[in-house]
Amino acid sequence: MSLLHFYLNGHTSIALIGKSTASIGDPSGRTAEREKSASETITSNFDRIWAQVSLFFDRAEAYALARGYDKKNFGRRELRTNAEWLEGLGLIEFLSGVGRHIRVQQMLARQSVKARMDSQKGINFAEFTYQLLQSYDFWHLYRNAGCRVQIGGNDQYGNITAGIDLIQRLESPSAPSTTPSEPAPIPTTPPTPDLAYGLTVPLLTTPTGEKLGKTSGNALWLDPTLTTPFELYQYLIRLPDAVVPLFLRALTLLPLPDIQATVDRHARDPHLRLAQGTLAAEVVHLVHGPQASKSAALMTRLLFPSADANSASTSTPPPPTAAELLVAFSADPKTLVALPRAEVVGQLVTKLAKTVGLARSRAEAETMVSQGGYWQGETVQEEWLVDGEVLLMRAGKGKFVLVRTV
């Protein structure tokens, strides 16, 4: 989001994906060593992240235009990988050109390194040198792309300041004009060491202060096959009041006066969850597009009428029709399954739950049934189908699959 704001306000934003450094792993914010990934896994993950980041900026630009931004004020955006310069960099070249400028005392003083060295398993040499490679990335982009500011989470403070220090050392009058592996810089205005800066932003955390991420098991993914638009919408609309104003400012492009007006309206009728509804709709629009946002809102309204942030009615709405459910679920292929009627009606609930992906195994499905996660009863009945056409299956509080009989 920080890169997006720079881009929307006329700057060149470079999103850097660390393909080469992915095999090492950043020790920042970790108490244990990362597991080594196979090269095929690293390549696959890189390809998916590259596609997701590219798509995010495409959709974010469309979202910005929908929120009143003027395209003529936009800057330029680039997507780069450090494999462009690190994969051809030899160890001897790196040590002779960069290593001589690094002080081990400063590396040991980094909080991320100190924390790992104080842990039971310590830190391996590859992770210890990670900050050197990230520093080199900053210097390369500083010299060859005119990059002046590196942005990262606040756990990246040490790595970012290490990059600023390396730039100052390599660009000082006494330093060589190039390293053995680097071409001469692009002939523009020569960079000056005092024009390299770092910017850190707070990490997103859960309401209890836990860091969001795959390691903690609570990651929110850009990939809709990992976190569907509906699941993202549900997470956001269930946030407590205390964090919503911050998330509205950090994760949307709504004008600040509009955000304050939404928060004020919410304060007058907090049970309507107007602020959460606005946050959920805006973020899903940003990440997945306007149609996905509308569909997620419709699914919420149909499945959880009391959570509808756009209605102040206290009356009980009628149950959704098959047509309404199909429209709502159509934008999320992961939650809409078509099966022959004979494979639905009369089938064991546990078998059908596994077939449609609500459970990984029959045993898991049986556990869910015993806990009230599906229906009471062993087999699917004809009268369970909405309008005789679709079957809405639920696992837990917020995971649904709509089965359309054909």
Side-chain angles (χ1 to χ4, degrees), residues 4-243:
L4 177 62
H5 280 290
F6 274 95
Y7 165 65
L8 296 178
N9 287 279
H11 300 276
T12 297
S13 294
I14 304 172
L16 180 63
I17 300 176
K19 182 179 182 181
S20 293
T21 44
S23 60
I24 298 173
D26 183 4
S28 299
R30 297 184 62 87
T31 58
E33 181 178 324
R34 296 176 187 268
E35 294 185 5
K36 181 175 175 58
S37 299
S39 59
E40 295 83 2
T41 301
I42 292 174
T43 300
S44 175
N45 290 343
F46 168 79
D47 291 340
R48 294 177 68 180
I49 293 172
W50 183 281
Q52 289 164 16
V53 172
S54 178
L55 181 59
F56 170 80
F57 277 100
D58 288 342
R59 286 178 171 162
E61 181 174 318
Y63 169 69
L65 293 172
R67 292 295 171 265
Y69 282 73
D70 191 340
K71 189 174 179 65
K72 72 174 185 294
N73 295 326
F74 294 176
R76 186 164 55 90
R77 52 187 171 98
E78 300 178 15
L79 191 54
R80 306 283 296 273
T81 170
N82 57 11
E84 296 174 25
W85 50 88
L86 290 183
E87 288 191 353
L89 181 62
L91 176 62
I92 300 302
E93 290 179 303
F94 182 75
L95 291 178
S96 62
V98 176
R100 68 177 66 245
H101 297 282
I102 305 300
R103 296 295 174 263
V104 174
Q105 294 94 325
Q106 292 179 326
M107 295 178 65
L108 292 171
R110 307 289 182 205
Q111 185 59 41
S112 59
V113 173
K114 290 170 64 176
R116 285 291 300 280
M117 291 186 68
D118 292 339
S119 66
Q120 185 176 2
K121 293 187 177 181
I123 185 172
N124 64 45
F125 181 73
E127 289 182 310
F128 177 63
T129 59
Y130 182 94
Q131 59 180 287
L132 301 185
L133 297 175
Q134 185 169 329
S135 299
Y136 188 89
D137 289 344
F138 192 10
W139 174 77
H140 176 93
L141 291 172
Y142 173 89
R143 166 162 278 224
N144 295 286
C147 181
R148 296 289 184 267
V149 182
Q150 182 178 174
I151 305 173
N154 53 18
D155 61 341
Q156 293 295 305
Y157 178 83
N159 291 344
I160 292 174
T161 54
I164 295 173
D165 182 67
L166 180 63
I167 289 171
Q168 291 174 336
R169 292 178 182 276
L170 289 178
E171 297 300 325
S172 68
S174 59
S177 59
T178 61
T179 64
S181 62
E182 289 286 344
I186 297 173
T188 58
T189 303
T192 54
D194 63 336
L195 289 182
Y197 302 95
L199 175 64
T200 63
V201 295
L203 298 175
L204 287 181
T205 60
T206 66
T208 59
E210 185 180 12
K211 178 182 175 181
L212 288 174
K214 62 181 180 181
T215 305
S216 303
N218 56 10
L220 295 174
W221 304 90
L222 294 177
D223 188 338
T225 65
L226 298 175
T227 298
T228 69
F230 176 69
E231 289 168 341
L232 177 59
Y233 192 98
Q234 285 301 302
Y235 176 86
L236 296 168
I237 206 168
R238 294 178 180 179
L239 288 172
D241 291 353
V243 302

Side-chain angles (χ1 to χ4, degrees), residues 196-351:
Y197 302 95
L199 175 64
T200 63
V201 295
L203 298 175
L204 287 181
T205 60
T206 66
T208 59
E210 185 180 12
K211 178 182 175 181
L212 288 174
K214 62 181 180 181
T215 305
S216 303
N218 56 10
L220 295 174
W221 304 90
L222 294 177
D223 188 338
T225 65
L226 298 175
T227 298
T228 69
F230 176 69
E231 289 168 341
L232 177 59
Y233 192 98
Q234 285 301 302
Y235 176 86
L236 296 168
I237 206 168
R238 294 178 180 179
L239 288 172
D241 291 353
V243 302
V244 174
L246 171 63
F247 280 25
L248 280 169
R249 292 192 295 269
L251 302 178
T252 79
L253 296 179
L254 293 174
L256 293 179
D258 290 1
I259 291 175
Q260 188 58 52
T262 298
V263 171
D264 291 342
R265 287 178 58 208
H266 174 88
R268 290 193 292 270
D269 295 293
H271 65 283
L272 297 178
R273 305 184 74 78
L274 294 171
Q276 284 89 340
T278 300
L279 174 66
E282 292 293 314
V283 173
V284 176
H285 182 172
L286 165 69
V287 176
H288 297 294
Q291 187 55 50
S293 179
K294 293 176 183 177
S295 294
L298 178 57
M299 290 171 68
T300 298
R301 185 161 63 251
L302 295 175
L303 300 173
F304 308 106
S306 62
D308 182 7
N310 297 312
S311 174
S313 174
T314 58
S315 61
T316 302
T321 66
E324 289 175 327
L325 289 170
L326 286 169
V327 169
F329 280 77
S330 62
D332 196 346
K334 184 180 176 182
T335 60
L336 181 60
V337 178
L339 289 175
R341 179 177 291 269
E343 295 181 15
V344 178
V345 178
Q347 295 296 318
L348 290 172
V349 169
T350 51
K351 178 181 179 181

